[in-house]
Amino acid sequence: MSRALKNTSRSLTGVFLFLAFAIGFSTRALCQDGTSGSPRVPEPSKTEAILLSVDALSQAAAYAPDKPIAGRLEFVGSTLMQSLATMWAEDFAKIHPEVSSKIDCQGSEESFKKFSDASATIALLSREVTPEELTQWSKDVKKNLIAIDVGYDILSIIVHKDNPLRALAWNPKTNSPMSLSNDKTIEKWGDLGIDGPLSDKPLTHVLIVPSHGLRSVAERFLNLKDRPKAITIEKENQLDIVDAVAATPEAIAVVSANRAMADSVRALAIGVDGQRIVSPRNSQAVNLGYPLLRNLNAVVALDDNGKLPPVVEEWARFILSRAGQETLIKDGFVPLDRSDIAVQQDRLGWETLK
């Protein structure tokens, strides 16, 4: 299970972007999970643009390199993280002008195959890497690999704008809002309490192609493993997913929250404890227990001496520093907090973060 899901009450260290919170809630779907009592439903608020100060966001230490570094970095993997990799590379090069970078991001699930003979390859994955995967990949590429978290991505479950559903209830037993506590299978929209013409129509799940890290995350949150009869269609990228949901009244999908701002789709709120209903567009979503998060991972390789190549180690120090985490914030992601960073330092064998 993702560490982000185990710790959804962690303080929101923030997102450096404008977040809109303007959503009305329906308790109908929330009552389907068997919780007793009436959920407390907040009144819809006016759209409010909130710009969170970077000073209040990143708890990382300042970046203070000991000396200039030179070398070449190669980034592979997540298409979602491609712009982030570009921003990191540009910011890193401003401090270390003798470092060059190549960015070739074609999907998270292809990343480990692209570890080249050059030791300075960094694989970016928009999902958590399991210990079993890391062990197998290390054998496949004949290198000792280390996976670290670099941040988080807030996700949204989206439906067509005319879908009357406003919220889903989180089921902690299955870690999914698409699993009812009475074990009833969700096949049609009526199973989620929807009346009218949509009630007899089956849900159409719009998924990204398997080469992307979002695929396995979406399958988990939509509980497709326990719903083998579910209708699914595939799209090449998140923008195409949003367009497909906008054009299909019975569609449902999982996308990054910052991709779910279109007026043609609705981002569903999540009822987290039978009382609180949290929108992914709420600037305090994570702090309020919003559970739809995914880890953003970077995988690096040790050299023959069991150490990180100097240019890779210095890059890791940079992205785990305040400067690197602020770059992540600017690209619309949630940064690591101080305890998260300490865990990554330990994985890398560091005592303190410079």
Side-chain angles (χ1 to χ4, degrees):
M1 183 190 304
S2 166
R3 181 168 54 83
L5 292 178
K6 293 179 181 177
N7 193 24
T8 53
S9 62
R10 63 188 288 272
S11 296
L12 175 64
T13 48
V15 182
F16 188 77
L17 74 163
F18 289 98
L19 293 172
F21 181 36
I23 186 168
F25 298 104
S26 165
T27 62
R28 186 70 181 267
L30 289 175
C31 296
Q32 299 297 318
D33 75 334
T35 56
S36 59
S38 299
R40 184 172 64 253
V41 182
E43 292 295 325
S45 64
K46 295 181 179 180
T47 300
E48 180 181 6
I50 304 172
L51 183 61
L52 299 174
S53 167
V54 172
D55 288 338
L57 299 178
S58 180
Q59 301 176 31
Y63 178 61
D66 289 334
K67 59 183 179 180
I69 198 80
R72 179 176 174 82
L73 295 168
E74 181 174 356
F75 297 92
V76 299
S78 170
T79 56
L80 175 76
M81 298 172 69
Q82 181 169 339
S83 64
L84 176 60
T86 301
M87 294 168 68
W88 269 336
E90 291 173 350
D91 290 347
F92 193 59
K94 292 175 183 177
I95 304 169
H96 301 286
E98 296 302 314
V99 174
S100 62
S101 299
K102 176 184 177 182
I103 299 173
D104 181 22
C105 294
Q106 299 181 22
S108 294
E109 304 311 315
E110 300 297 316
S111 59
F112 78 96
K113 300 176 183 178
K114 294 183 176 291
F115 271 97
S116 63
D117 292 335
S119 58
T121 300
I122 298 167
L124 303 174
L125 290 93
S126 56
R127 64 170 180 82
E128 186 174 33
V129 177
T130 68
E132 294 77 16
E133 286 177 319
L134 199 63
T135 298
Q136 185 59 52
W137 294 351
S138 295
K139 292 180 180 178
D140 291 343
V141 300
K142 296 180 174 59
K143 296 177 183 289
N144 290 323
L145 304 179
I146 298 175
I148 61 171
D149 296 336
V150 298
Y152 299 98
D153 184 26
I154 298 179
L155 300 174
S156 292
I157 293 180
I158 59 171
V159 296
H160 189 275
K161 66 180 180 64
D162 294 331
N163 191 315
L165 188 65
R166 295 295 187 274
L168 291 168
W170 182 254
N171 188 329
K173 293 182 179 179
T174 59
N175 289 309
S176 167
M178 294 294 290
S179 176
L180 305 181
S181 61
N182 59 9
D183 294 328
K184 181 179 179 181
T185 301
I186 299 173
E187 295 180 353
K188 299 179 180 180
W189 282 103
D191 297 329
L192 290 170
I194 299 300
D195 294 326
L198 197 60
S199 63
D200 290 331
K201 293 187 178 296
L203 283 72
T204 298
H205 305 78
V206 187
L207 303 173
I208 204 162
V209 292
S211 60
H212 294 269
L214 180 62
R215 176 60 174 260
S216 61
V217 177
E219 289 176 337
R220 172 159 50 88
F221 283 139
L222 294 174
N223 197 32
L224 292 180
K225 180 180 179 181
D226 295 333
R227 301 167 57 222
K229 296 181 180 180
I231 298 172
T232 62
I233 59 176
E234 293 184 348
K235 295 296 177 181
E236 290 290 332
N237 56 62
Q238 293 199 56
L239 293 179
D240 287 348
I241 291 176
V242 173
D243 288 343
V245 173
T248 312
E250 61 271 23
I252 188 169
V254 176
V255 296
S256 296
N258 57 14
R259 302 290 196 274
M261 296 297 186
D263 293 336
S264 56
V265 298
R266 173 180 294 117
L268 299 180
I270 302 295
V272 293
D273 58 7
Q275 294 294 319
R276 287 176 298 153
I277 304 174
V278 186
S279 166
R281 296 181 178 181
N282 187 329
S283 64
Q284 294 296 313
V286 180
N287 194 39
L288 293 172
Y290 184 79
L292 270 63
L293 304 176
R294 60 169 164 170
N295 297 51
L296 303 178
N297 273 194
V299 179
V300 294
L302 302 179
D303 61 22
D304 294 338
N305 296 317
K307 296 182 179 181
L308 286 175
V311 67
V312 174
E313 181 164 17
E314 198 60 38
W315 174 84
R317 293 188 186 282
F318 171 74
I319 61 104
L320 292 176
S321 74
R322 181 180 176 87
Q325 289 291 292
E326 287 177 0
T327 300
L328 181 140
I329 292 166
K330 293 174 185 177
D331 203 31
F333 298 112
V334 177
L336 304 173
D337 64 20
R338 190 175 297 277
S339 62
D340 292 329
I341 292 172
V343 171
Q344 312 321 310
Q345 292 177 247
D346 185 63
R347 290 178 181 177
L348 292 166
W350 300 346
E351 292 183 1
T352 59
L353 184 66
K354 294 183 180 179

